[in-house]
Amino acid sequence: GAVVSQHPSWVICKSGTSVKIECRSLDFQATTMFWYRQFPKQSLMLMATSNEGSKATYEQGVEKDKFLINHASLTLSTLTVTSAHPEDSSFYICSARDQGKGAEAFFGQGTRLTVV
Amino acid sequence: DAKTTQPPSMDCAEGRAANLPCNHSTISGNEYVYWYRQIHSQGPQYIIHGLKNNETNEMASLIITEDRKSSTLILPHATLRDTAVYYCIVRVGDTGFQKLVFGTGTRLLVSP
């Protein structure tokens, strides 16, 4: 199946710094990618829809100035957590659909962010 | 998208069939049923989806009731590696780029 790769797999950063997470579709083009956040023992929460060449669409309650999304090409979307704080520590997951194939979405392996 | 209800947890013996139920009583005619699973600390993995007919692939079978208000995911011979959280999701269409909204899922524990 199609492969979605995230980088890094895990990251530890200091409070107040910014962290960038990359999501790549390795063998297909994705005009749309999705970013999720997952806290321990909870389900995935959709944060935003990333659209190639245009602004992301954020879910209610997600601060767009804090979670910057850039979808500069058909194979790459980035999520930047700005001025990170300990409460931003979470598991961040992206997904994409191969527009040339069927209905299933493919997910990256996730990025575990720890803010200290 | 219609709401789904799943039991929070289930147990299954290795080698036996695991039958995971999902209620989606408010499903509408153009909504599909999708199943994903998430193994600990990994991204979700697509399993199967269907509209009204039963579906089978190399991973599982999906049985949808005639009124489409509920469905069952069947793992015919569960292994220890099938231990995961299983999510049943209902959403419109099987093309395009509609978002997937995850519920709380069923935590399946497969034991030796």
Side-chain angles (χ1 to χ4, degrees), chain A residues 24-72:
Chain A
R24 293 181 186 273
S25 54
L26 295 186
D27 54 358
F28 66 99
Q29 294 184 330
T31 55
T32 303
M33 293 184 177
F34 302 92
W35 286 97
Y36 293 82
R37 178 169 54 180
Q38 185 176 33
F39 293 107
K41 298 191 185 300
Q42 294 186 23
S43 186
L44 285 78
M45 285 175 24
L46 180 66
M47 298 175 67
T49 302
S50 171
N51 305 298
E52 187 266 336
S54 65
K55 291 183 179 180
T57 304
Y58 290 82
E59 295 298 303
Q60 193 171 11
V62 178
E63 300 174 59
K64 65 179 192 307
D65 295 330
K66 180 166 183 64
F67 299 99
L68 301 179
I69 291 173
N70 186 302
H71 194 150

Side-chain angles (χ1 to χ4, degrees), chain B residues 50-70:
Chain B
L51 180 62
K52 53 183 178 181
N53 297 322
N54 297 337
E55 303 287 344
T56 295
N57 63 21
E58 64 277 4
M59 288 183 70
S61 294
L62 174 60
I63 309 297
I64 303 174
T65 58
E66 194 167 339
D67 62 8
R68 303 210 320 124
K69 293 186 176 182
S70 65

Side-chain angles (χ1 to χ4, degrees), chain A residues 31-32 34 36 38 41-44 46 49 59 91 93 97-99 102-110 112, chain B residues 34 36 38 40-46 49 87 91 93-105 107:
Chain A
T31 55
T32 303
F34 302 92
Y36 293 82
Q38 185 176 33
K41 298 191 185 300
Q42 294 186 23
S43 186
L44 285 78
L46 180 66
T49 302
E59 295 298 303
F91 193 51
I93 308 167
R97 182 175 283 109
D98 184 347
Q99 61 190 63
E104 64 265 33
F106 297 95
F107 288 80
Q109 71 270 39
R112 185 160 303 283
Chain B
Y34 285 78
Y36 283 79
Q38 185 179 26
H40 182 62
S41 293
Q42 296 183 24
Q45 175 189 24
Y46 166 83
H49 77 284
Y87 295 98
R91 49 157 283 210
D94 67 347
T95 58
F97 306 104
Q98 294 91 348
K99 57 193 179 186
L100 288 172
V101 178
F102 286 78
T104 52
R107 189 173 297 274

